[in-house]
Amino acid sequence: MLDVAEDSYGALVRLVYSAGLDRLKWSEVLADLSSLIGRSWIALHGHDISRNVNLGFLTHNYAPEHHSSYLQHFADRNPWNSRAARIPVGAVIPSRQLLDPGVLRRTEFYNDWIRPQEDIGTGAGVTLFRDHARFLRLSCNIRFRDLESIEARLLGLLEAIGPHLQASFQLSRRLAGARVGQHYQDALQLIPEAILLLDHTGRITFANARAERLLRGPNAVATADRRIALPDRSAQQALERTLAAILQGTVGTGGPIRFHAGMSPLVAELFPFISEAAPIRPPLLLLLDGLPTAMLILRRPTSPLGNGLQVAAARHGWSPTETALCGHLLAGGSIRSFAEHRGVSIHTVRNQMRSVLEKAGVRRQSALVALVASLGRSPELD
């Protein structure tokens, strides 16, 4: 459950997407996130497990000397890293599930780096990127004495903001650090996926070269007047609902939208487009036709979970619908978006989710993710 004021959360989401287009704003994201969590230490950090070396360490609330000592000595002694490397992208995992606190307290890392910093040995994190050897993770540390008062709010906030962070980071990574201002069209041509910018009516205002190929031929994803039109009716309706949410200023993500263009499976993701060239916020967007207000990414589906979902379904006796729900959530979707895609009530899907958790013997979605990940054999890590 999200225990944060709606306007504060909305401001954070908008800032997250701004950071995707301007990497200099990631420091502001960490600061705002920390203010919503409470007393916390935030780090956006990368690690190469094969070489056991740090790939970057952007922090908020860490003292300069602790920031430096991590880079100089403790990065290769962080016991969370080897475990974090196997966590699926988008999964929110409490620190105490990643590594037992009793084991942590016996390490040099804890005694010489964690404990001197007000004993910040607990918290949670979410993985934003992972390949065969590297990962990027947002880690939020809190003091052990604050666990009871802060952890629930921290987990709820990370589960809500996680899909936005993941999408924004992927955009930032594909842009290779380019700042998107008045020349955003040139920058978006660098992204290997199909990118389309939409105005508030769903009309396409820009498409990169890869997207243009999807706008032509018998399986086109747009009408003759260049309005987005996905071939699958339910997918198109889900896209329209997400665009409406962006225009209303709620900027909520509905999760990945899956459909087929001819025989090719595709995934659509829609999120706010906020750049120096398009600084206007809702509801004034409705007054300006042709102004890019949302970015649509079309990509091939991928699975970071190996065969873990199928193994878990067989082991715990999930029905096909329950398995599909679990897969939807693990891919970054939500209970609401699953209900909308299936045309059933959110109450029905919540009951299905409770059944999935009960059969698996866990209580939280984060524990379910950890369970599925532990059963899968990801070819990226083997």
Side-chain angles (χ1 to χ4, degrees):
M1 180 178 179
L2 185 59
D3 182 22
V4 173
E6 184 176 340
D7 57 343
S8 298
Y9 174 69
L12 175 62
V13 173
R14 286 189 289 274
L15 181 59
V16 165
Y17 285 116
S18 295
L21 301 175
D22 181 356
R23 60 187 175 84
L24 299 179
K25 293 185 178 180
W26 280 108
S27 293
E28 296 178 42
V29 171
L30 302 192
D32 281 15
L33 181 62
S34 180
S35 69
L36 293 180
I37 294 169
R39 183 70 169 162
S40 55
W41 287 251
I42 315 293
L44 188 60
H45 61 106
H47 204 81
D48 186 323
I49 291 299
S50 64
R51 298 184 295 138
N52 196 21
V53 295
N54 177 262
L55 299 177
F57 194 52
L58 180 66
T59 63
H60 174 76
N61 216 26
Y62 285 91
E65 61 270 23
H66 290 122
H67 185 284
S68 297
S69 65
Y70 183 86
L71 294 176
Q72 295 170 5
H73 182 74
F74 289 104
D76 62 357
R77 291 167 171 78
N78 183 342
W80 283 313
N81 281 338
S82 60
R83 293 162 175 81
R86 294 188 175 272
I87 299 299
V89 170
V92 176
I93 304 294
S95 301
R96 54 189 171 80
Q97 290 185 12
L98 200 61
L99 178 66
D100 183 87
V103 175
L104 173 67
R105 288 188 172 101
R106 294 194 295 270
T107 65
E108 175 192 355
F109 181 75
Y110 169 79
N111 286 286
D112 292 350
W113 197 75
I114 289 289
R115 190 167 64 175
Q117 298 183 78
E118 301 186 44
D119 207 11
I120 53 170
T122 191
V126 58
T127 300
L128 305 182
F129 164 82
R130 195 193 77 181
D131 64 13
H132 70 284
R134 304 168 300 166
F135 69 84
L136 180 81
R137 187 169 176 81
L138 178 75
S139 296
C140 305
N141 283 45
I142 59 176
R143 299 176 295 192
F144 276 111
R145 66 174 179 266
D146 294 330
L147 180 63
E148 185 175 348
S149 62
I150 292 182
E151 186 186 50
R153 180 167 67 253
L154 168 59
L155 292 175
L157 184 56
L158 286 185
E159 287 175 354
I161 200 69
H164 301 291
L165 287 166
Q166 182 185 341
S168 184
F169 171 72
Q170 288 297 337
L171 175 61
S172 179
R173 180 170 177 261
R174 290 165 184 138
L175 287 172
R179 296 187 64 183
V180 180
Q182 294 182 351
H183 304 291
Y184 66 84
Q185 296 186 1
D186 292 337
L188 296 180
Q189 291 288 3
L190 302 174
I191 302 177
E193 282 82 3
I195 302 293
L196 303 102
L197 299 184
L198 311 180
D199 71 5
H200 71 274
T201 69
R203 187 187 298 275
I204 299 167
T205 65
F206 167 80
N208 67 1
R210 187 174 294 269
E212 285 289 355
R213 291 196 288 272
L214 293 174
L215 301 181
R216 300 188 294 268
N219 300 315
V221 297
T223 61
D225 63 348
R226 293 180 71 85
R227 292 185 189 277
I228 195 70
L230 301 184
D232 182 272
R233 179 176 174 80
S234 62
Q236 177 67 20
Q237 290 174 337
L239 187 73
E240 291 171 356
R241 284 190 293 268
T242 305
L243 179 59
I246 291 172
L247 294 173
Q248 293 165 8
T250 57
V251 293
T253 178
I257 300 170
R258 301 175 186 276
F259 67 99
H260 280 75
M263 298 299 294
S264 301
L266 292 174
V267 175
E269 293 177 294
L270 187 70
F271 49 89
F273 181 74
I274 300 173
S275 78
E276 297 169 7
I280 300 174
R281 301 290 184 267
L284 295 180
L285 289 172
L286 299 177
L287 303 177
L288 299 172
D289 290 345
L291 182 71
T293 62
M295 178 181 292
L296 177 65
I297 296 182
L298 301 176
R299 59 176 175 80
R300 300 287 184 186
T302 58
S303 173
L305 296 170
N307 64 344
L309 182 60
Q310 289 70 35
V311 173
R315 177 172 298 183
H316 300 292
W318 294 338
S319 70
T321 299
E322 290 169 344
T323 303
L325 170 59
C326 187
H328 182 80
L329 296 174
L330 296 176
S334 67
I335 287 177
R336 181 175 299 279
S337 63
F338 187 81
E340 292 172 347
H341 292 167
R342 291 283 175 135
V344 298
S345 71
I346 193 169
H347 177 73
T348 296
V349 178
R350 282 175 176 156
N351 285 338
Q352 292 167 344
M353 189 70 240
R354 278 193 287 270
S355 176
V356 169
L357 296 175
E358 288 173 2
K359 290 179 180 179
V362 296
R363 294 184 178 182
R364 295 185 62 90
Q365 186 177 325
S366 58
L368 180 68
V369 171
L371 181 150
V372 173
S374 69
L375 295 175
R377 289 178 54 81
S378 172
E380 291 182 337
L381 293 176
D382 286 348

